[in-house]
Amino acid sequence: MAGVQPFLHDLLVTLQAPSQVWSAGDGQVHPNGAQGVYHADVRALSSAVVRVNGVLPESVSAGRTGPGELEAVGLLRMIDTPGADPTVILCRRRTVRPGHVAERLELSSATAEPVAGRVTLRVASDLAPLERIKQGTPSSPLPPAVTGEGVSWHEGDVGVVVAAPGASVAADADGATLTWDVTVPPGRPLTLDWSVRTRAPGVVSAPASAAPEWSVPVVEADDRRLAALVARSLEDLAGLRMSAGFAPEETFLAAGAPWFFTLFGRDSLWAARMLLPLGTDLARGTLRTLAARQGTVTDTETAEQPGKILHEIRGGDLDVGGGTVLPPLYYGTVDATSLWICLLHDAWRWGLAADDVEGLLPALEHALAWMRDHGDNDGDGFLDYADESGHGLSNQGWKDSGDAVQWRDGTLAEGPIALSEVQAYAYEAAMGGAELLDAFGREGAGEWRAWAADLSSRFRKRFWLSDDDGPYVAIALDRHGAPVDSVTSNMGHLLGTGLLDPEEERLVARRLVAPDMSSGYGLRTLSSRSAGYWPLRYHGGTVWTHDTAVTLLGMARAGLGEEAAVLVRGLLDAAPHMGYQLPELYGGNAVGDGPGPLPYPAACHPQGWSAASAVVLLTAILGLSPSDGGLDIAPIVPSPVGALRVEGLRVAGRTATVDVDAHAGATLSIGDA
């Protein structure tokens, strides 16, 4: 159906940035929806379907076997001998590397005599841009050119070459059929190989280094779901590592697959921040990459301003529908600049080398100045946003859908919008920035502490509301300065930032673990009592993994372990339903309302900050915080996962191990640098 975003929840993904393959549950790449072989936001192949004697193999198993690898097993009863037992199988092994997808087709037989058949691979390409696929816009296959060992497609700077050694090739206007006539002897597998290589221009590519920038901890817990979630999440994150052409030696994490397979200021910053207990190298790469494109001028079309950190970067204009067209380098985000400062400060505390920090201090000063000089559009003293281009994002916080900021009765708030969590990020950035300025002998620390104190005072007067359940924080102020009264997850991001006092943090935490906000599988984005609530509304009732993680970490840092444990258990209860790959978001239905959390069908998976949230669980449960080159621990009591041991944490270049017993008695050991 034209104009309908394709679903992803039941598709298998195999990836190694910037390449990815989306296939059906049988491992086949059917010419449907979002299925395809992609590279750098271009669909290189729109189908890759294997048949034997004209019939699809009968799928019995398919799934990942390692980073960037998938294996699908099908039965070949069309060439099998009579009998109840299936004795001829096809194993399809896929490996994805940057710009290269290879498959080995292995046919095995346990029949008494050799079996013969015809294996065909039907491939097609539309070279469609990812944005067109996301919008559900129909595309047509392009005619291929026959080459020595297969077929190819070329259009502009994009080139796709399929090689299938030993196959005969029959091309037509819609694609090509590659054919092998085979005889499979009993007990001796027969293998066929084919591959696709893609060349496509892009501003992001594979990272310079092959190994991830973080340690991989050994996790042992009474609740075994925690270790499974951490292992799967770190494997997924390894596939999201990218570099930008303007900073090729640095590495960051792409926001998510398939739609956001690129640099996003906010998302990449949050993911790097969440991974700090495993090392600071990713944070350094993310900070440097974003600093390389820090705003220098005022440009309404791109939303660039001096000192501002970008929102996202693409290879060309991005038409997301509804009149929203984003330029290749787009700065329409109100929070990435503050979050950049927060990451720099936190990375410094976790042990980022002084020389690395010092090299980023000019960018820090420019970012601080942006908060003061450009962050406030209407002059009320709060950071806010308004799209002045007429074709940019209408909402520019992390909840960036058009209906993300609404009143309790469901009507939409009018901008400029000043989000509550953005004020918390700004407060934390000003205080952290001041600490860095002092530590490195630069001027201005006093000014920023005063600025933060003033912001805190004004926030307390303007953002607090009360209803029958007591006090809570409004999601935002609207264009008239009125506090928007819906109860949302946004206030969870205030916890642990310093903006609230301890009693205010307790009030917020209590509201967030109430049944209208906590689904039992995580934190709903909007209270189920709101008129606009729906469990599958993008920012109006779903659960976002990272949102829950940020909130529970804030609770833990505020000493609210009981409330944090509610959300920890929620994510762990959700994880097995999704194969321990927590996606971008999922349904806000309550525990018991169905067999598990409803999939949000178009959600990205893996998603950078969702996968990184697994490390947040470790940080919160153990109560980790860096301190003068060492590590402080303050575990949640009682531990929500029972006894827990984590080896391979990193602080100031040293390795740390933490043991917590079931009653949260803890020991810490730190090795030499």
Side-chain angles (χ1 to χ4, degrees):
M1 182 181 297
V4 176
Q5 184 173 346
F7 289 164
L8 303 170
H9 67 288
D10 57 351
L11 300 185
L12 301 174
V13 59
T14 316
L15 59 82
Q16 189 71 52
S19 299
Q20 51 185 329
V21 179
W22 288 82
S23 59
D26 59 0
Q28 302 270 24
V29 179
H30 296 285
N32 299 322
Q35 294 185 49
V37 176
Y38 296 86
H39 180 72
D41 282 352
V42 174
R43 183 155 65 181
L45 292 182
S46 52
S47 70
V49 178
V50 174
R51 289 180 169 85
V52 178
N53 283 8
V55 180
L56 294 174
E58 296 177 88
S59 177
V60 293
S61 173
R64 68 185 182 93
T65 54
E69 297 176 353
L70 174 139
E71 183 173 301
V73 178
L75 305 181
L76 304 182
R77 292 196 288 178
M78 73 291 292
I79 61 172
D80 207 344
T81 54
D85 294 336
T87 54
V88 184
I89 66 173
L90 169 65
C91 184
R92 185 173 184 172
R93 295 188 176 94
R94 176 177 302 147
T95 302
V96 178
R97 298 294 180 260
H100 183 221
V101 176
E103 285 198 353
R104 170 157 289 183
L105 310 178
E106 183 179 278
L107 293 86
S108 300
S109 170
T111 57
E113 300 295 333
V115 294
R118 172 165 289 185
V119 180
T120 60
L121 171 66
R122 179 66 182 181
V123 292
S125 175
D126 55 10
L127 298 184
L130 190 64
E131 65 188 87
R132 185 189 302 169
I133 297 160
K134 187 174 189 288
Q135 293 173 23
T137 304
S139 60
S140 300
L142 300 172
V146 177
T147 65
E149 287 192 327
V151 290
S152 66
W153 291 264
H154 296 275
E155 189 173 77
D157 294 331
V158 178
V160 178
V161 177
V162 172
S168 62
V169 181
D172 54 52
D174 295 330
T177 300
L178 309 169
T179 303
W180 297 266
D181 287 313
V182 300
T183 299
V184 184
R188 194 166 73 244
L190 181 146
T191 60
L192 307 171
D193 293 291
W194 75 276
S195 64
V196 54
R197 292 187 180 274
T198 308
R199 183 191 71 253
V203 291
V204 293
S205 60
S209 63
E213 287 68 26
W214 53 83
S215 67
V216 177
V218 177
V219 178
E220 299 175 2
D222 286 345
D223 188 334
R224 296 186 179 182
R225 298 175 301 178
L226 179 60
L229 178 60
V230 172
R232 176 64 190 269
S233 297
L234 292 178
E235 180 181 303
D236 283 341
L237 288 170
L240 294 175
R241 298 168 61 248
M242 278 186 164
S243 291
F246 52 82
E249 299 303 314
E250 309 300 339
T251 300
F252 59 87
L253 289 174
W259 314 128
F260 311 121
F261 218 39
T262 187
L263 174 65
F264 268 64
R266 176 192 310 117
D267 299 51
S268 300
L269 287 163
W270 265 123
R273 196 177 184 192
M274 291 172 168
L275 290 180
L276 280 172
L278 305 184
T280 59
D281 287 354
L282 179 68
R284 180 184 62 212
T286 305
L287 290 163
R288 286 177 173 175
T289 300
L290 290 167
R293 285 296 181 268
Q294 188 173 26
T296 58
V297 300
T298 299
D299 185 336
T300 300
E301 287 298 298
T302 65
E304 181 179 358
Q305 293 170 327
K308 196 175 187 183
I309 297 299
L310 63 82
H311 172 60
E312 67 178 291
I313 189 166
R314 300 279 184 170
D317 287 349
L318 180 66
D319 186 343
V320 298
T324 300
V325 181
L326 308 183
L329 189 60
Y330 183 56
Y331 289 82
T333 169
V334 71
D335 51 12
T337 308
S338 301
L339 290 171
W340 187 95
I341 299 169
C342 292
L343 176 60
L344 178 61
H345 172 261
D346 288 0
W348 169 62
R349 293 192 64 235
W350 277 97
L352 183 61
D355 288 349
D356 292 329
V357 176
E358 197 154 18
L360 291 165
L361 292 181
L364 165 70
E365 291 168 331
H366 292 317
L368 287 167
W370 176 84
M371 295 198 307
R372 179 192 61 211
D373 301 338
H374 300 282
D376 178 9
N377 286 281
D378 57 10
D380 65 352
F382 297 108
L383 272 66
D384 56 32
Y385 60 84
D387 172 48
E388 298 179 356
S389 71
H391 55 74
L393 294 173
S394 58
N395 281 314
Q396 298 183 3
W398 83 259
K399 293 180 179 177
D400 57 4
S401 56
D403 62 352
V405 185
Q406 56 180 262
W407 295 80
R408 191 176 291 208
D409 65 7
T411 58
L412 302 185
E414 298 180 56
I417 298 289
L419 292 166
S420 60
E421 78 274 15
V422 169
Q423 316 317 312
Y425 303 155
Y427 176 89
E428 189 176 11
M431 295 298 289
E435 188 177 355
L436 283 166
L437 293 174
D438 270 347
F440 286 86
R442 299 173 87 101
E443 298 180 354
E447 173 192 348
W448 286 108
R449 290 192 178 95
W451 186 90
D454 184 50
L455 175 62
S456 176
S457 176
R458 283 184 283 103
F459 184 93
R460 191 162 280 110
K461 295 174 183 176
R462 299 286 299 281
F463 274 83
W464 279 92
L465 294 170
S466 189
D467 61 10
D468 291 344
D469 294 318
Y472 67 99
V473 177
I475 181 176
L477 304 182
D478 73 355
R479 66 179 301 174
H480 307 292
V484 181
D485 66 351
S486 53
V487 177
T488 70
S489 64
N490 297 57
M491 59 180 155
H493 291 228
L494 279 58
L495 300 170
T497 65
L499 182 65
L500 305 181
D501 65 32
E503 176 59 18
E504 290 169 335
E505 289 185 314
R506 186 188 68 79
L507 291 171
V508 167
R510 187 184 68 183
R511 288 302 294 260
L512 293 177
V513 297
D516 64 312
M517 287 301 298
S518 174
S519 75
Y521 294 120
L523 179 64
R524 294 189 181 102
T525 43
L526 179 68
S527 168
S528 60
R529 299 179 188 173
S530 293
Y533 168 79
W534 177 246
L536 290 178
R537 182 159 285 134
Y538 196 60
H539 289 129
T542 55
V543 172
W544 284 65
T545 303
H546 90 282
D547 186 34
T548 301
V550 169
T551 298
L552 70 88
L553 181 59
M555 290 173 173
R557 286 176 170 167
L560 301 167
E562 182 178 350
E563 291 83 355
V566 171
L567 299 184
V568 168
R569 288 191 289 268
L571 289 182
L572 290 175
D573 286 345
H577 293 282
M578 304 165 196
Y580 294 96
Q581 185 184 66
L582 289 173
E584 178 187 16
L585 69 158
Y586 49 91
N589 57 300
V591 171
D593 183 10
L598 289 170
Y600 185 84
C604 290
H605 61 93
Q607 183 85 350
W609 56 13
S610 298
S613 295
V615 179
V616 172
L617 296 186
L618 299 180
T619 305
I621 295 167
L622 298 175
L624 303 176
S625 61
S627 175
D628 297 325
L631 193 63
D632 288 339
I633 54 174
I636 293 175
V637 181
S639 168
V641 295
L644 172 62
R645 175 181 174 87
V646 182
E647 301 177 27
L649 300 166
R650 300 285 294 172
V651 60
R654 298 189 291 169
T655 300
T657 298
V658 180
D659 276 288
V660 177
D661 63 30
H663 306 289
T667 59
L668 166 69
S669 60
I670 301 180
D672 296 330

